Amino acid sequence: MVQVMTDHAAPCCVPAPAAGALAAEDAAQLAARFKALADPNRVRLLSLVAAGESGEACVCDLTEPLQLGQPTVSHHLKILVDAGLLAREKRGVWSYYSVLPAALEDLAGALRGFGAVPPALGKDAS
């Protein structure tokens, strides 16, 4: 009979240091933003707003390019606003939306930190 001796006081594995890892709250906020972008219509909305000459767009400007009704576009815009990717400014009965550049930089920075952004999508791409 072979006896295996083990030291139960010694840990099996030593956890890797968490330096540079996201805090739980930061990860939750980042996940909410990525979840908001997990729909192709919302990605298109974000790009349409960002590409606008004035840097902003009204719902009425966004329904035709997406071929969606105003209530659907408004719903998608609300999700993007709630995720902190777009700002909304009410002017009379209309709401105008603009991209929050810092939020997009946070997303890109997080991906760069994970080492997952292909060079063509990174900041230094030409």
Side-chain angles (χ1 to χ4, degrees), residues 3-13:
Q3 261 188 329
V4 177
M5 301 194 67
T6 59
D7 181 4
H8 292 290
C12 170
C13 316

Side-chain angles (χ1 to χ4, degrees), residues 28 49-50 53 55 59 61 66 72 89 91 98 107 109 111 114 119 124:
V49 173
E53 287 182 28
V59 175
D61 300 325
L66 288 175
T72 302
E89 181 184 334
R91 297 183 200 152
S98 58
L107 291 174
L111 290 175
F114 297 156
D124 299 328

Side-chain angles (χ1 to χ4, degrees), residues 21-110:
L22 290 172
E25 185 177 316
D26 294 336
Q29 184 181 31
L30 191 60
R33 287 183 174 165
F34 282 123
K35 184 176 178 181
L37 290 173
D39 181 281
N41 288 315
R42 291 195 284 270
V43 173
R44 288 193 64 210
L45 278 170
L46 193 64
S47 75
L48 286 166
V49 173
E53 287 182 28
S54 64
E56 63 183 11
C58 178
V59 175
C60 60
D61 300 325
L62 300 168
T63 55
E64 187 178 320
L66 288 175
Q67 297 181 338
L68 295 172
Q70 180 273 323
T72 302
V73 171
S74 291
H75 169 74
H76 286 307
L77 289 167
K78 180 184 182 327
I79 290 171
L80 292 168
V81 168
D82 290 347
L85 297 167
L86 291 180
R88 181 180 63 212
E89 181 184 334
K90 194 94 161 131
R91 297 183 200 152
V93 296
W94 299 105
S95 291
Y96 289 82
Y97 297 86
S98 58
V99 173
L100 293 171
L104 298 182
E105 283 298 318
D106 288 348
L107 291 174

